[in-house]
Amino acid sequence: MMNTGPDDVPIKLVGIARMLNLIERYIWNSRKGQLLLLAVLFTAAYYTNHVSTKMVEPDSKAAEELLSSSTITKIPKGYRLVYRARNIRINTNDSLLPLIESFSFSTTYFHSELGEIWIDVPDEAVLINIKEQLTKADIPDPESRIIQGRLSNVQGKAIANARVDLMGDYCMINYCRTRADGTFLLVTLDDLPKRRVTCYLRFQTSNPKHVFNSASFTLDKAKPVICVQASRNVIEKYKLLWVLTAILALLFTTHDLKQWLRQWRHRPGTCLNCGYDVRGTVSHRCSECGTIIAEQVRVELERLP
């Protein structure tokens, strides 16, 4: 059975009516309320530049599905290994350079910002052996912190070649980029403070205006590896808060302008909305249009004979 209030009106409808009454009184017909609401929406729109962020346990199945694996593909001159590092910085780690230099018969391409090594070899079996050796040498430095993750758009598709910066208490500017599948690897430098530091990731796509941040997380020596799954936020992607702020500002401006015109043409003791004579009205609303009688009109009614 539905709960009812006075005159058998459902309680939910009574609550909605009261809420609409408060909105009309303290926002729609109050310039202070309008300005406060617009200020809140503008602030939220300005600071809503984040992506939906999910932290994943490094050794879990979800992390394995999140991160990309190295691949071997057929090319015209043989086979190509695209090795995607998991724990070390490409081109700066002593454990990989001697190993790669020993493959003198191969063609090697370093992509330090992507954390990838491309190796071209005529024989696939040799390439499989190289991949195994690189995997064994891909060991993290005990003093480093590792941030792995994947960046995707609203539709869940990978965002490639986006710049990833570590920001907050510890910053690494213009350090790495997302790969073709949206994954990235960021390894901290050796001068990271020993204490726990709070940081966040800043992403920037090929469009300089598309800059957005992840949620905050803690870099801790006790937990050296962090897996981040980040996807663009629908609200930020389509600038919904900016659109809502602009629409409300236009509606408030139009409403206030109409009110000003009505007040300019206003006759004492009449409703500001429809011009109906409200002298003798017992209710706090105009009996013609139902609008709440303004404070200005109430003062006029007290002064009129």
Side-chain angles (χ1 to χ4, degrees), residues 7-304:
D7 301 325
D8 294 332
V9 178
I11 291 179
K12 288 184 179 180
L13 295 180
V14 174
I16 293 173
R18 288 177 180 174
M19 183 179 66
L20 293 176
N21 186 17
L22 291 175
I23 292 174
E24 181 184 4
R25 183 173 182 180
Y26 293 106
I27 296 179
W28 185 247
N29 291 321
S30 170
R31 291 200 179 121
K32 288 184 179 179
Q34 293 174 4
L35 292 175
L36 179 61
L37 178 60
L38 289 176
V40 170
L41 285 175
F42 179 84
T43 304
Y46 183 80
Y47 286 103
T48 303
N49 60 340
H50 62 277
V51 293
S52 301
T53 309
K54 179 181 178 182
M55 298 300 173
V56 181
E57 287 298 323
D59 298 328
S60 65
K61 183 179 179 181
E64 192 63 30
E65 294 175 352
L66 173 69
L67 303 176
S68 61
S69 58
S70 302
T71 58
I72 298 177
T73 56
K74 179 77 169 133
I75 60 175
K77 295 183 179 180
Y79 295 88
R80 169 172 290 174
L81 166 65
V82 178
Y83 183 80
R84 299 179 176 93
R86 289 284 186 94
N87 301 295
I88 58 178
R89 299 194 302 271
I90 296 298
N91 229 5
T92 61
N93 192 282
D94 294 336
S95 63
L96 281 189
L97 287 178
L99 180 61
I100 296 172
E101 290 172 355
S102 66
F103 307 140
S104 56
F105 51 84
S106 65
T107 304
T108 307
Y109 306 94
F110 292 96
H111 301 274
S112 57
E113 283 193 333
L114 299 178
E116 292 182 346
I117 307 172
W118 294 10
I119 302 177
D120 296 344
V121 176
D123 189 353
E124 183 180 9
V126 174
L127 208 53
I128 293 174
N129 180 44
I130 294 175
K131 177 183 175 182
E132 292 176 354
Q133 294 185 54
L134 289 174
T135 302
K136 291 179 181 179
D138 192 357
I139 301 173
D141 187 329
E143 297 298 323
S144 67
R145 314 292 196 281
I146 303 164
I147 303 173
Q148 305 167 337
R150 180 189 295 271
L151 178 65
S152 59
N153 60 15
V154 177
Q155 292 77 27
K157 296 181 180 179
I159 299 179
N161 201 35
R163 198 178 80 183
V164 185
D165 302 323
L166 181 64
M167 309 296 294
D169 295 343
Y170 181 82
C171 298
M172 296 176 67
I173 307 298
N174 196 19
Y175 190 71
C176 73
R177 292 187 177 274
T178 55
R179 300 160 178 155
D181 59 356
T183 61
F184 59 88
L185 171 69
L186 197 155
V187 183
T188 63
L189 300 174
D190 298 334
D191 58 348
L192 181 71
K194 301 299 181 183
R195 61 182 176 85
R196 291 164 54 120
V197 291
T198 302
C199 303
Y200 64 92
L201 297 176
R202 183 179 68 186
F203 302 98
Q204 179 177 320
T205 64
S206 54
N207 187 336
K209 294 182 180 180
H210 292 172
V211 179
F212 37 93
N213 304 326
S214 74
S216 299
F217 55 87
T218 302
L219 283 178
D220 190 356
K221 190 174 182 179
K223 193 174 183 181
V225 180
I226 295 176
C227 291
V228 180
Q229 183 176 7
S231 59
R232 292 205 65 179
N233 190 287
V234 176
I235 294 177
E236 189 279 328
K237 168 71 174 177
Y238 298 106
K239 309 296 182 185
L240 295 183
L241 284 179
W242 286 112
V243 173
L244 179 60
T245 304
I247 291 174
L248 285 180
L250 181 61
L251 289 176
F252 289 155
T253 302
T254 305
H255 173 68
D256 293 345
L257 183 59
K258 288 181 178 179
Q259 275 195 333
W260 180 81
L261 289 174
R262 291 192 191 104
Q263 290 177 4
W264 184 61
R265 300 171 182 173
H266 172 66
R267 289 178 293 121
T270 59
C271 175
L272 291 177
N273 185 52
C274 65
Y276 182 76
D277 192 341
V278 293
R279 284 179 290 183
T281 303
V282 179
S283 173
H284 65 285
R285 289 182 176 272
C286 173
S287 56
E288 179 69 18
C289 65
T291 305
I292 297 176
I293 298 175
E295 188 65 29
Q296 172 189 343
V297 178
R298 294 180 182 277
V299 174
E300 292 173 354
L301 292 175
E302 292 176 358
R303 294 176 180 176
L304 288 175

